[in-house]
Amino acid sequence: MIIAERRPIPEILENIAPYSRVLVLGCRGCVAVCSAGGDREVAILAEAIRLAREREGKPIEVIERTFIRQCDPEYLELLRELVPQVEAIVSLACGVGVNLIADLYPSARVYPGVDTSFYGANVVLGKWIEKCRGCGDCLIDKTAGLCPIARCAKNLLNGPCGGSQGGRCEVRKDMPCVWHMIIERLKERGELERLLEITPPKDWRPAGGDGLRVRVRPDLA
Amino acid sequence: MGEGIKLAILCCNYTNLAEREDLYEVPARLEIKRFPCGGHIEITDILRAFREGAEGVCVCACEQGTCHNGKGNERAEKKVVGARAILQEIGISPERLSFYYVPRLDAEAFVEDVKAFFSKILKEKVEERGK
């Protein structure tokens, strides 16, 4: 899922400083699952904004809503009647939601309430770790399902850098070396020879190096 | 000076049965809000208590290993950690929010914790005035 993290509240307050009626808009997609922008986080941020503004002597009316998703125009249709009622929107969706609101409602002042961080997994309660970088050209079929683009600090394609020690990454000692893991796993399976095939330099165009990425499925479009 | 201070006490209904009269030695305006379990106390409840005028908020939950619902007391403690971070971000001293594990149905221990909390808030207010 897309992992996000609430932006510092002072930054959010600065963005909405001129306004006295705002909407805090959550999303029940990824950001709800990663506890950054669901119903509960909307309620907490709204209450924090009210408290901060009352202490400043500038009370504010905060409307709270959470949509099923903010990355789909059909769900954002619900925003049509709210936009004229508020001076600004703080969206707790990932950047996709904020952008789509900005596209669909040009008159709405929409501000991000979270920083969109990465694609990750919820490994234990309250902890998320990056597993995919969305580079658009998966090579994990060759690496036992473990991604060296997302999980190797140097994005190496043909084996470890030589700097890891005891199976730990030399850049992030709190993280395992993914190439160490790949080699150990392939060795256990008797498939180490798979790594003899040299992977050529990566084409980064599918990762966004060629501009905005668009996917079209002709049988649906 | 203490009489003007408003304190909010958010506690599990089963943590204690103490009422305002048991807390007569605490010279503050006290608001006791009871919840079905410490785990039911949300960060928003804590922030709302501040917004409603409390100068200090004290969250009390059952001692470890005694929560009816398993880990409601531990969840309450974590909510306090989250709320303290938010208070700091918006310029309110996190010391204005405290958490206590309280023995179940032992009003005396609860009263002592509230007294200690009151003293802490009073001291902080005095220090703030001195700045």
Side-chain angles (χ1 to χ4, degrees):
Chain A
M1 79 189 108
I2 294 173
I3 309 300
E5 189 167 7
R6 180 175 49 72
R7 303 191 79 194
I9 295 175
E11 287 180 20
I12 295 171
L13 289 170
E14 193 181 335
N15 283 331
I16 59 171
Y19 313 119
S20 56
R21 189 174 162 88
V22 302
L23 167 67
V24 174
L25 184 61
C27 173
R28 293 203 182 106
C30 307
V31 291
V33 182
C34 72
S35 302
D39 293 78
R40 182 171 288 187
E41 291 73 30
V42 165
I44 291 170
L45 179 62
E47 201 57 42
I49 290 171
R50 291 184 195 109
L51 177 58
R53 287 287 291 263
E54 280 183 19
R55 283 171 57 83
E56 283 176 22
K58 290 169 62 185
I60 185 169
E61 187 180 348
V62 183
I63 298 170
E64 302 172 32
R65 291 285 189 281
T66 306
F67 290 170
I68 292 172
R69 283 202 297 273
Q70 290 188 35
C71 53
D72 249 320
E74 65 182 285
Y75 295 114
L76 284 183
E77 190 57 33
L78 298 166
L79 199 53
R80 192 166 301 284
E81 64 180 33
L82 287 165
V83 167
Q85 297 175 33
V86 296
E87 294 169 277
I89 300 166
V90 177
S91 167
L92 295 188
C94 67
V96 179
V98 179
N99 271 269
L100 192 55
I101 291 173
D103 282 342
L104 296 176
Y105 299 97
S107 66
R109 297 181 191 96
V110 58
Y111 299 102
V114 300
D115 287 317
T116 306
S117 312
F118 53 82
Y119 307 132
N122 187 188
V123 287
V124 291
L125 183 63
K127 184 176 182 180
W128 296 267
I129 295 184
E130 184 173 15
K131 300 290 183 191
C132 172
R133 197 154 290 173
C135 71
D137 182 18
C138 258
L139 50 88
I140 54 179
D141 51 334
K142 298 183 180 69
T143 57
L146 304 167
C147 182
I149 299 298
R151 302 171 68 176
C152 169
K154 301 175 186 179
N155 303 155
L156 296 181
L157 299 174
N158 289 290
C161 62
S164 64
Q165 287 186 8
R168 313 302 291 179
C169 172
E170 73 166 348
V171 177
R172 286 283 306 272
K173 290 187 173 50
D174 57 330
M175 290 292 162
C177 167
V178 75
W179 270 109
H180 182 94
M181 292 165 66
I182 292 166
I183 287 170
E184 289 298 315
R185 195 158 300 183
L186 290 177
K187 202 189 292 179
E188 276 172 28
R189 292 180 191 171
E191 296 175 7
L192 202 53
E193 73 280 358
R194 288 175 72 101
L195 296 181
L196 292 174
E197 186 185 336
I198 300 297
T199 304
K202 189 170 174 59
D203 178 359
W204 287 97
R205 283 173 297 181
D210 202 23
L212 190 70
R213 291 181 281 179
V214 179
R215 176 188 171 225
V216 179
R217 207 176 121 174
D219 58 327
L220 292 175
Chain B
M1 175 177 182
E3 288 79 359
I5 295 177
K6 181 180 175 184
L7 298 183
I9 300 160
L10 312 186
C11 62
C12 163
N13 190 47
Y14 299 97
T15 298
N16 76 90
L17 298 173
E19 289 295 346
R20 278 192 186 78
E21 46 270 33
D22 298 303
L23 293 159
Y24 70 94
E25 289 180 90
V26 180
R29 288 185 292 137
L30 296 176
E31 183 170 11
I32 302 175
K33 292 184 178 179
R34 297 182 185 282
F35 292 77
C37 174
H40 207 286
I41 300 171
E42 296 290 343
I43 292 175
T44 44
D45 296 313
I46 296 169
L47 298 179
R48 195 170 298 122
F50 278 104
R51 198 156 67 83
E52 288 169 353
E55 293 181 72
V57 177
C58 171
V59 175
C60 299
C62 300
E63 273 188 324
Q64 280 174 312
T66 65
C67 174
H68 262 157
N69 298 308
K71 292 187 172 179
N73 50 356
E74 293 172 27
R75 287 170 66 91
E77 188 178 22
K78 285 181 179 171
K79 300 275 176 57
V80 167
V81 171
R84 285 167 72 106
I86 289 174
L87 291 177
Q88 183 134 35
E89 280 193 74
I90 60 176
I92 298 175
S93 167
E95 297 305 313
R96 294 293 180 105
L97 171 62
S98 280
F99 175 82
Y100 296 97
Y101 281 117
V102 177
R104 290 170 68 94
L105 305 178
D106 181 353
E108 199 175 326
F110 172 73
V111 170
E112 287 307 312
D113 285 338
V114 175
K115 277 188 198 171
F117 180 60
F118 172 73
S119 301
K120 189 173 135 183
I121 298 297
L122 191 60
K123 186 170 171 240
E124 182 147 322
K125 275 184 72 77
V126 170
E127 283 172 359
E128 273 180 14
R129 282 194 181 180
K131 282 179 186 170

